[in-house]
Amino acid sequence: MEILFSTTMEIQDADGPLAFFEYGNEKFNGERFLWKDSQNHAVLVGVGIEKSFSHERTDHNRFFEAETEWKRFIDRAVIENPFEVPGTGPLLFGGFSFDPMSEKETEWAAFADSLFYLPKFMLTISQGKSYLTVNVACDPNDDLGAVTEIENFQMGYMQFQQKRSIQSPIISDMEEINKEEWIAAVADVVRQLKQGDVDKVVLARKMKVHFDEPILTEMVLQNLWQQQPDSFIFALEALESCFIGASPERLIQKTNNTVFSTCLAGSIARGKETREDELLGKELLNDRKNLHEHQLVVKMIVEVLKKHCIDIQIPENPALLKLRDIQHLYTPVTGTVDGNLSITKLVEALHPTPALGGVPRQRAMHIIREKEQMDRGMYASPIGWMDYRDNGEFAVAIRSGLIKQDEAVLYAGCGVVADSDPQSEYIETKIKFRPMYRAIGGTEE
């Protein structure tokens, strides 16, 4: 019977997470992940897949299957981890597709509807300290080869100095997919919303970008790290593809019995100057359409957490979350869970929030399948990690894209309500494309 042996040690890591990610390229390309939270409290980098947990849409319940298989595997594991630090020791990193009922498109062929990795080697940076976790799944009587592999990895990483010269490839072509059809779809949805049986529908679209040579994940990560420091930065490789992004939106964080979620909906552009930016922020805080859209998200998230929490703490009014290209209405929600509630149960209950799907959920999902005419894959889905102590954090995978060799597919969406203007919604998606377009080497123009 295969048993997991996991050990965690504190290390001196001068080069940091991007170097660790790059070091894994030669031997573990296609088997890497990276995660940074929005407040820079925790960074996780995994290289090598010791065990993968994947489930397709044929599974009865992909959330339940992922959790059950993981706990069954961990129950018989031998774990040496003297540190009470969330994100150390064995953990899974990955996520779920947005909608397992949508028809899968070729660009998402490498990604299952539920896909998680247990890494061979993982760097955790928390509160200024670095930890290395090594995971080996093997027969208890046959681990000598694994010991040699661990020693070779550690020796190689300590001696790793030479960084590849990372330059941006030249964009040779860019195409907004079905632009006019998407604008017409927004107008159709607005007409449905005015009939009153649906309150909100989120519609997304995509653009394809081609390059003169393959694009490196390391380059995109480096750009996102510099350009979007206040976002959740993530990368998840699968064979030759990598899903990557910088999301401002937390879905759920669980640390012991404390849970924290974010209501993020309603947006407006940033101003070019301080005065203009302040006026735009004030306009957003008083805009009826955006406040209604935001309140739909707040109501749903609070209702979900009330079912699982002893108490809920939430401010009376939203604040502004200002990012480089856009500002959002923002309301944090904190609660205390009662009992042994898993983070995957919270993810299942929350996904998709009205910020990514709509209200009511099932009716909105039906309209999305009908009107978007595309497979979101993992865009707008839960992505993150869960450790063996049932701590974890998931973000909503927006401001993201899928890169493969010399092509990138970028995604953006917006919330459509009864008084939405299709052209304004189109402009909003153009703003939301900017972070990823800039990160892959595009310019503002």
Side-chain angles (χ1 to χ4, degrees):
M1 178 183 294
E2 189 178 57
I3 294 178
L4 171 65
F5 294 86
S6 178
T7 183
T8 301
M9 64 202 80
E10 187 174 351
I11 63 171
Q12 298 297 318
D13 181 60
D15 292 330
L18 294 179
F20 192 87
F21 186 89
E22 182 185 345
Y23 175 68
N25 178 72
E26 183 174 350
K27 187 172 183 180
F28 299 114
N29 184 262
E31 300 182 10
R32 298 178 294 171
F33 68 77
L34 181 142
W35 166 272
K36 180 194 80 69
D37 71 24
S38 61
Q39 296 174 309
N40 299 296
H41 288 163
V43 180
L44 307 173
V45 188
V47 298
I49 300 174
E50 189 61 20
K51 190 174 180 64
S52 63
F53 299 78
S54 63
H55 303 89
E56 287 293 355
R57 64 197 71 200
T58 52
D59 293 323
H60 175 66
N61 188 323
R62 57 196 176 131
F63 299 95
F64 174 77
E65 293 290 342
E67 176 189 342
T68 301
E69 191 174 343
W70 169 236
K71 288 186 174 180
R72 187 184 301 125
F73 186 68
I74 283 297
D75 281 346
R76 60 177 185 267
V78 178
I79 301 171
E80 295 180 358
N81 180 15
F83 309 102
E84 296 294 328
V85 179
T88 59
L91 63 72
L92 295 187
F93 183 89
F96 303 91
S97 66
F98 178 79
D99 179 13
M101 300 297 291
S102 66
E103 183 177 349
K104 182 170 287 191
E105 295 181 350
T106 55
E107 59 241 38
W108 291 104
F111 293 83
D113 288 303
S114 169
L115 178 62
F116 287 88
Y117 296 156
L118 170 69
K120 285 180 178 289
F121 306 99
M122 183 179 70
L123 174 68
T124 302
I125 301 176
S126 178
Q127 304 299 322
K129 295 184 177 181
S130 299
Y131 307 87
L132 178 67
T133 296
V134 179
N135 299 304
V136 178
C138 62
D139 184 285
N141 300 316
D142 185 28
D143 63 346
L144 294 179
V147 171
T148 301
E149 184 178 7
I150 293 168
E151 291 174 347
N152 290 340
F153 178 88
Q154 292 175 309
M155 183 178 297
Y157 180 60
M158 295 305 175
Q159 297 174 350
F160 177 63
Q161 297 291 334
Q162 184 63 44
K163 311 292 191 302
R164 284 182 293 167
S165 176
I166 300 177
Q167 296 181 343
S168 300
I170 298 172
I171 294 177
S172 58
D173 181 58
M174 185 272 286
E175 177 188 7
E176 294 185 69
I177 306 299
N178 300 327
K179 169 187 169 182
E180 299 302 329
E181 292 87 343
W182 187 85
I183 294 174
V186 173
D188 287 343
V189 171
V190 168
R191 284 191 286 270
Q192 292 186 54
L193 293 170
K194 287 180 177 178
Q195 295 174 4
D197 61 335
V198 187
D199 293 317
K200 176 185 176 182
V201 176
V202 178
L203 288 184
R205 65 188 188 95
K206 65 182 178 181
M207 63 186 292
K208 287 189 177 182
V209 184
H210 297 273
F211 303 87
D212 64 341
E213 60 181 294
I215 184 171
L216 294 176
T217 304
E218 290 89 339
M219 181 209 79
V220 183
L221 276 176
Q222 189 174 81
N223 289 340
L224 290 174
W225 205 282
Q226 294 171 351
Q227 298 164 6
Q228 305 294 328
D230 299 323
S231 293
F232 292 90
I233 296 176
F234 58 87
L236 177 64
E237 292 186 334
L239 300 178
E240 295 182 323
S241 299
C242 181
F243 181 53
I244 187 169
S247 172
E249 186 169 355
R250 172 187 287 108
L251 181 65
I252 193 72
Q253 179 191 61
K254 181 176 181 290
T255 305
N256 301 321
N257 288 329
T258 300
V259 295
F260 184 41
S261 187
T262 298
C263 308
L264 199 71
S267 58
I268 200 167
R270 296 297 305 272
K272 294 181 180 179
E273 299 176 350
T274 302
R275 177 60 177 164
E276 181 189 9
D277 193 62
E278 291 175 349
L279 289 173
L280 286 169
K282 186 176 180 180
E283 178 184 339
L284 179 59
L285 287 168
N286 293 278
D287 183 75
R288 185 171 59 88
K289 179 258 184 187
N290 281 289
L291 286 170
H292 172 62
E293 184 182 339
H294 184 78
Q295 188 55 38
L296 291 173
V297 178
V298 172
K299 180 181 177 183
M300 179 269 190
I301 290 180
V302 169
E303 286 178 351
V304 168
L305 293 185
K306 277 185 175 179
K307 296 177 182 178
H308 302 287
C309 294
I310 302 171
D311 63 88
I312 297 286
Q313 298 178 20
I314 181 171
E316 291 185 6
N317 299 305
L320 291 175
L321 177 65
K322 292 178 178 285
L323 302 170
R324 176 168 174 169
D325 301 289
I326 197 168
Q327 45 191 322
H328 296 281
L329 293 175
Y330 163 81
T331 300
V333 185
T334 304
T336 303
V337 295
D338 185 14
N340 298 318
L341 181 69
S342 70
I343 190 169
T344 52
K345 284 186 172 62
L346 292 169
V347 170
E348 179 182 20
L350 289 168
H351 176 72
T353 71
L356 286 309
V359 181
R361 179 186 287 180
Q362 295 306 319
R363 176 67 177 139
M365 292 294 289
H366 176 77
I367 295 174
I368 290 170
R369 293 175 191 131
E370 178 186 0
K371 295 297 183 180
E372 275 190 358
Q373 298 295 303
M374 75 170 192
D375 177 21
R376 292 190 185 186
M378 295 187 77
Y379 166 73
S381 66
I383 189 166
W385 59 274
M386 49 186 174
D387 66 18
Y388 72 107
R389 293 167 170 151
D390 206 29
N391 297 308
E393 185 167 30
F394 283 80
V396 179
I398 54 177
R399 314 291 193 272
S400 57
L402 187 66
I403 60 177
K404 181 180 180 181
Q405 297 177 348
D406 61 352
E407 181 179 275
V409 184
L410 310 185
Y411 298 84
C414 59
V416 182
V417 293
D419 54 355
S420 288
D421 171 65
Q423 192 63 32
S424 297
E425 301 298 351
Y426 167 73
I427 293 172
E428 181 177 322
T429 59
K430 286 179 69 71
I431 295 172
K432 291 176 177 177
F433 274 131
R434 283 181 189 169
M436 276 304 300
Y437 188 62
R438 186 189 301 115
I440 61 175
T443 63
E444 295 292 335
E445 292 76 18

